[in-house]
Amino acid sequence: MSAQLLMIEDDHRLAQMVVQYLQQSALQVEHVDNAAAGLARVETPGAQTLPDLVILDLMLPDMDGLEVCRRLRALPGNTGKVPILMLTAKGDPMDRVIGLEVGADDYLPKPFEPRELLARIRAILRRRGGGAQQEANVMRFGSLEIDRDARTVSVAGAPAELTSYQFDLLVTLAERAGRVLTRDQIMEAVRGRELEAFDRSIDVHMGRIRAAIEADVKNPKRILTVRGVGYVFAKHQD
């Protein structure tokens, strides 16, 4: 069964082009042109299944895309974990950073090449459903537990809320515990493509991961920054 996508985009011409292109690549896309319809589709799926991914425009007529992202992430259970790829027409990197901070898994600035959109969608879907090719086991580091099969994280038995992308970042580091990784190496391992020049979105995600798994974000013990290089996941923890 092909992946089911939900596109929330008020530009009908762009949406039509994207839907047609993605359908040619064996992806099913449902399009709505406003935030209210998009939220209703996810909040009350009824007999319908949840989408495997949401393509969300930052600028919508009835609600800011960032607020839509916040509301989607606030939904309970697996509903709030649906991956979000945010589209933004704004060139300011801060808009992208804010999008990541409120829970987007990835972003793509407009205008974009449909092939790049497809590549990013496929990368997210591989991460989300990649358990078939991953070793189904649990990694434990003190009170931190990472279940790669269930794609869940807990600290002292309490669930740690991470986006699909952030979960894969954490797994990438944990699998290489004790090894210093550059930002480029981390992004290459997770996203399967080279890091964009001057892209520091990885730092935003690391901050969110630390907030979820560290006892003291200002004095992290699990994910350490190696100044001028990148990050390392500590082998020995609590």
Side-chain angles (χ1 to χ4, degrees):
M1 182 177 179
S2 62
Q4 307 290 317
L5 312 184
L6 172 64
M7 185 175 193
I8 308 175
E9 168 63 68
D10 65 324
D11 185 332
H12 286 263
R13 183 176 179 181
L14 172 64
Q16 183 178 14
M17 180 270 291
V18 168
V19 169
Q20 182 178 3
Y21 183 83
L22 294 180
Q23 287 180 340
Q24 291 173 350
S25 301
L27 294 171
Q28 299 300 313
V29 188
E30 177 183 352
H31 169 238
V32 297
D33 62 5
N34 62 82
L39 287 169
R41 169 64 179 84
V42 178
E43 290 174 339
T44 55
Q48 304 180 73
T49 58
L50 286 171
D52 296 298
L53 181 144
V54 173
I55 304 171
L56 174 62
D57 184 31
L58 180 63
M59 304 294 290
L60 293 168
D62 57 336
M63 187 183 301
D64 186 276
L66 296 175
E67 179 60 26
V68 177
C69 188
R70 290 189 188 95
R71 294 195 183 189
L72 289 174
R73 282 289 171 256
L75 294 174
N78 289 331
T79 307
K81 295 181 180 180
V82 174
I84 299 171
L85 193 161
M86 185 170 285
L87 304 178
T88 170
K90 296 185 177 182
D92 188 348
M94 280 306 300
D95 290 308
R96 304 173 194 176
V97 169
I98 294 172
L100 295 172
E101 286 182 335
V102 298
D105 292 88
D106 201 356
Y107 63 84
L108 188 61
K110 298 178 183 179
F112 55 82
E113 287 289 334
R115 287 179 297 179
E116 182 176 7
L117 174 63
L118 176 60
R120 296 200 183 200
I121 289 172
R122 283 176 171 169
I124 294 173
L125 293 177
R126 280 197 303 270
R127 296 195 301 269
R128 186 171 188 262
Q133 294 184 358
Q134 288 183 328
E135 182 182 2
N137 62 4
V138 176
M139 294 185 289
R140 293 183 178 85
F141 302 87
S143 62
L144 174 66
E145 184 175 288
I146 305 170
D147 189 329
R148 286 181 291 190
D149 189 39
R151 295 182 65 80
T152 59
V153 178
S154 63
V155 179
E161 296 298 327
L162 297 175
T163 67
S164 176
Y165 187 46
Q166 289 159 6
F167 176 86
D168 290 307
L169 285 174
L170 178 59
V171 169
T172 295
L173 287 170
E175 288 178 335
R176 299 160 178 80
R179 175 183 167 188
V180 178
L181 300 177
T182 66
R183 292 176 176 85
D184 298 67
Q185 289 172 327
I186 296 170
M187 296 289 274
E188 180 71 15
V190 174
R191 208 150 50 176
R193 65 181 182 84
E194 293 184 358
L195 188 64
E196 298 172 358
F198 308 113
D199 188 346
R200 287 296 178 268
S201 65
I202 189 73
D203 299 327
V204 176
H205 283 300
M206 288 302 176
R208 303 291 288 186
I209 295 171
R210 281 172 170 161
I213 69 172
E214 299 279 7
D216 183 356
V217 177
K218 295 183 179 180
N219 185 31
K221 301 296 184 182
R222 307 181 193 279
I223 298 178
L224 309 179
T225 300
V226 181
R227 192 174 298 277
V229 181
Y231 295 92
V232 60
F233 189 89
K235 281 186 176 181
H236 304 290
Q237 303 178 16
D238 58 333

